[in-house]
Amino acid sequence: AGNVAILSQSGALCSVLVDLALDNHLGLSRVISMGNKGDVSGVDLLLNFADDRETGVIVGYVEDISSGDELVKAAEQTSSKKPVVLLKSGTTEVGQRAAASHTGIMANTEVAYGAAFRQAGLIQADSFDELLDYAKGFSMQPVPQGDRILVISNAGGPGTMAADAIEKTGMRVVEVVKSLDIVDQVDLLGAATVNNPVNVLGDGAPDLFADVLRTGLQDEKVDGIVVLLTPQSMSNGVEVVQALGKAADSSKPVMLVVMGGRWSQPQKAAIAAAGLPEYGTPERAVKSLRAMLDYSRWRNRPPRIVNRFRVHRRRVERIITRSQRIDQLQLSEVKSKDILKAYGFRIPEGYMASSADEAVEIGYRLGFPLAMKIVSPDVVHKSDLGGVKLDVANGQQVRDGYDLMMLRIKERVPNARIEGVYVEKMLDRGLEVILGMHRDPQFGPMLMFGLGGIFVEVMDDVAFHLAPITYEEAMQMLLATRSYEMLEGKRGHQEMDTHAVAVALQRISQLTTDYPQIQELDINPFIIGDRGFEPVVADARMRLSEPL
């Protein structure tokens, strides 16, 4: 008996989970195999477990989710009361590769589940080991309130391994543990170290371990503690574990790592009796602690406030309705920009030309330099086919560009329906980013952010989030990219207006939740600059659904 509830869509893996729970000294409150979910679903079970007083942690294995929006709502409701750790199989099947947009190509099944789990506060495990590791941490220890971690070890090497793992997961090793004042409170030998990691040496007595642990628990600058034990002939491992169990007071998480093989076996029973989670390696303990921190931050997140902007919905409705009626589901750049303009995006001034003479007249009216782009529902990747000409400097270049563009498109896409050439003012220089949306069949609109150029094409440095999105969540998308330092102005780059990008993501969120007909959307590139520079849509495309 215990506080861990198990749900599984596989009967066989349900029995595996039960067996592993026994082996890991995890007490169980409920064990339910859903089978094919003929009547009772995972949503039903989550809501039931949420109100079950005997259940403190929910762990589960799921294969398919038939109603993604219902799952997200139920999981969010349940996660607000207790942690839910799920192992989801079948997440690597790539979505529709025929997608026209960058966003659609990148937004595969795995990405969709990851975005949905994060929004709902679900803890996603990648393996059975992680599932049980996370369950141990959540069921036996409180969640950390911050990312400052203290490491206590009876050897230098394992302590360094733990410190490395902590830094790699984005948590912090308390820089110097002077505030612990260990020297005055415990009798450390001269060879021991009182920096973090704290090394109490191989012959550290049980009382010494307990005193150091108590000191760390009492220190306000420490949020969590990892204790490492390695095989040592000079000390009794069982007695050390027993002393640590008595010192732990449930005020902060204490993760115990017992390294080794045969030597570590006698410690297992003592660890279970002490109520401490035990891990075989520093990395597993630290990763579990990181999962607990993420959940703690999710629980303490500010209230979700989704902003609504004043927009021109009638203009958008006319474009979408007419495009679906004439079966033009791939919207041109011009129509896509018209929709975005109705939702508050800045669009460069431009006009459609149906002849070279008209293009030249537009060019003189707008003023040089100009950009010229082919407009065709059958030409999605314009630049790849010679359908884009930039920095056009005079009327003769406009005429030559128009004629050459028409020639190239007819040669490379003979059956393309050409509506004309769009002539617009060249934009001020800035940093290129990509904003997008792909509508997942299970979870609805998924927003995407990334830097343009090689960052999206080669490095795949993008972040996703389900819509609707708050301002804080939009900022988290930016922070989730490896290239965020460029936006901050680090490494010699100019600082960009990240606030404007977050607002743009919110506007896309509103647009795509208002109009489920929009299946895919790309703004690529979206030109941003420093504060005071109003971002501008350089290119855009959308794909609509079939009319009902």
Side-chain angles (χ1 to χ4, degrees):
N3 67 346
V4 178
I6 291 176
L7 63 89
S8 174
Q9 201 172 337
S10 163
L13 292 180
C14 190
S15 62
V16 170
L17 278 171
V18 172
D19 196 36
L20 287 171
L22 293 170
D23 192 46
N24 284 271
H25 304 284
L26 277 175
L28 305 179
S29 60
R30 301 281 185 269
V31 180
I32 297 181
S33 174
M34 295 182 287
N36 290 329
K37 302 183 293 184
D39 181 49
V40 178
S41 69
V43 170
D44 299 319
L45 293 177
L46 284 178
L47 294 174
N48 180 270
F49 289 160
D51 297 323
D52 179 24
R53 294 181 179 180
E54 297 180 9
T55 295
V57 184
I58 302 166
V59 299
Y61 168 82
V62 292
E63 293 173 350
D64 68 86
I65 295 172
S66 56
S67 182
D69 55 344
E70 289 185 17
L71 174 76
V72 170
K73 292 176 183 177
E76 193 167 359
Q77 183 176 335
T78 304
S79 296
S80 65
K81 299 178 180 179
K82 58 194 65 173
V84 181
V85 186
L86 292 183
L87 173 60
K88 171 70 177 72
S89 65
T91 59
T92 57
E93 180 183 351
V94 177
Q96 298 177 351
R97 280 300 181 184
S101 66
H102 291 291
T103 311
I105 292 173
M106 293 178 178
N108 55 43
T109 305
E110 187 173 10
V111 168
Y113 277 105
F117 278 29
R118 285 191 299 274
Q119 180 160 320
L122 294 171
I123 300 99
Q124 187 172 10
D126 294 327
S127 66
F128 265 92
D129 286 339
E130 279 192 10
L131 193 69
L132 272 297
D133 282 351
Y134 295 172
K136 283 189 287 189
F138 280 111
S139 66
M140 297 179 182
Q141 294 296 299
V143 295
Q145 298 304 307
D147 61 0
R148 300 164 301 179
I149 310 303
L150 170 66
V151 178
I152 305 170
S153 176
N154 66 353
T160 303
M161 290 174 62
D164 287 344
I166 289 166
E167 293 290 336
K168 287 178 182 178
T169 59
M171 297 187 292
R172 294 182 291 159
V173 177
V174 181
E175 200 166 308
V176 177
V177 200
K178 289 181 180 178
S179 60
L180 291 173
D181 204 14
I182 293 174
V183 176
D184 292 339
Q185 296 197 32
V186 298
D187 184 20
L188 287 180
L189 298 177
T193 60
V194 293
N195 288 336
N196 191 6
V198 178
N199 180 6
V200 299
L201 299 182
D203 58 354
D207 289 345
L208 178 58
F209 269 98
D211 286 342
V212 177
L213 178 59
R214 287 192 193 95
T215 308
L217 291 170
Q218 294 167 5
D219 191 277
E220 63 181 14
K221 296 181 178 64
V222 174
D223 298 307
I225 301 175
V226 178
V227 183
L228 302 105
L229 301 177
T230 58
Q232 302 286 348
S233 62
M234 300 90 77
S235 62
N236 187 308
V238 172
E239 292 179 358
V240 169
V241 169
Q242 291 172 338
L244 290 169
K246 292 178 181 178
D249 58 8
S250 298
S251 62
K252 299 172 184 177
V254 177
M255 317 296 270
L256 187 56
V257 179
V258 180
M259 304 180 71
R262 184 180 303 175
W263 173 86
S264 66
Q265 295 308 310
Q267 278 75 257
K268 302 286 186 179
I271 293 169
L276 296 173
E278 178 271 325
Y279 303 90
T281 66
E283 291 79 10
R284 288 171 60 183
V286 169
K287 194 169 184 181
S288 299
L289 193 56
R290 177 71 219 200
M292 295 166 69
L293 174 62
D294 290 341
Y295 175 71
S296 174
R297 287 176 170 172
W298 184 88
R299 283 282 297 266
N300 295 320
R301 71 198 188 285
R304 297 190 76 243
I305 300 175
V306 177
N307 294 328
R308 295 284 299 178
F309 302 95
R310 294 186 64 183
V311 297
H312 299 286
R313 293 196 58 168
R314 288 186 180 179
R315 187 187 307 171
V316 177
E317 288 167 1
R318 285 197 299 268
I319 295 172
I320 291 178
T321 301
R322 186 175 185 279
S323 298
Q324 287 185 319
R325 187 184 303 129
I326 62 176
D327 198 32
Q328 283 192 1
L329 304 182
Q330 295 285 354
L331 295 188
S332 68
E333 176 185 350
V334 178
K335 290 181 179 178
S336 298
K337 285 183 172 179
D338 283 345
I339 289 176
L340 292 170
K341 186 176 182 179
Y343 267 69
F345 284 87
R346 177 189 168 201
I347 307 298
E349 185 181 4
Y351 301 93
M352 180 82 79
S354 56
S355 67
D357 289 339
E358 189 176 4
V360 172
E361 188 274 328
I362 292 172
Y364 281 110
R365 192 193 324 164
L366 292 175
F368 301 96
L370 300 169
M372 300 174 63
K373 305 172 187 178
I374 198 74
V375 179
S376 169
D378 304 310
V379 179
V380 177
H381 301 286
K382 300 184 291 290
S383 58
D384 295 344
L385 299 172
V388 176
K389 185 172 178 60
L390 304 177
D391 292 310
V392 181
N394 54 54
Q396 187 60 48
Q397 288 186 11
V398 171
R399 186 178 301 279
D400 294 344
Y402 186 99
D403 293 338
L404 182 59
M405 199 175 294
M406 287 295 181
L407 178 64
R408 285 177 174 173
I409 296 300
K410 287 178 180 178
E411 287 178 348
R412 297 171 183 178
V413 193
N415 298 321
R417 295 165 289 175
I418 300 176
E419 298 176 6
V421 171
Y422 192 65
V423 182
E424 68 180 5
K425 282 286 292 181
M426 278 293 294
L427 302 171
D428 297 331
R429 297 297 181 185
L431 181 66
E432 295 185 0
V433 303
I434 177 172
L435 309 180
M437 186 282 303
H438 170 77
R439 193 171 300 276
D440 182 80
Q442 288 292 334
F443 301 108
M446 286 199 305
L447 308 177
M448 187 186 82
F449 164 79
L451 291 191
I454 63 168
F455 292 94
V456 64
E457 297 281 1
V458 179
M459 297 176 63
D460 194 18
D461 184 22
V462 294
F464 284 87
H465 199 286
L466 295 183
I469 194 172
T470 68
Y471 177 82
E472 291 77 15
E473 290 164 347
M475 287 300 299
Q476 286 301 315
M477 286 182 66
L478 274 61
L479 285 163
T481 59
R482 298 187 301 275
S483 47
Y484 179 72
E485 288 187 355
M486 291 181 62
L487 302 180
E488 284 188 303
K490 294 181 179 179
R491 302 178 185 271
H493 296 281
Q494 183 181 9
E495 183 180 3
M496 297 290 108
D497 188 351
T498 54
H499 166 76
V501 182
V503 171
L505 285 167
Q506 289 178 282
R507 290 185 181 275
I508 295 176
S509 172
Q510 181 175 334
L511 171 64
T512 54
T513 50
D514 285 348
Y515 294 97
Q517 303 97 312
I518 301 176
Q519 297 297 298
E520 289 181 356
L521 178 155
D522 262 5
I523 303 177
N524 183 31
F526 186 55
I527 308 298
I528 65 173
D530 58 6
R531 295 194 181 277
F533 178 93
E534 185 180 2
V536 59
V537 176
D539 198 356
R541 65 176 71 133
M542 297 185 194
R543 181 174 65 84
L544 304 178
S545 60
E546 297 280 350
L548 298 176

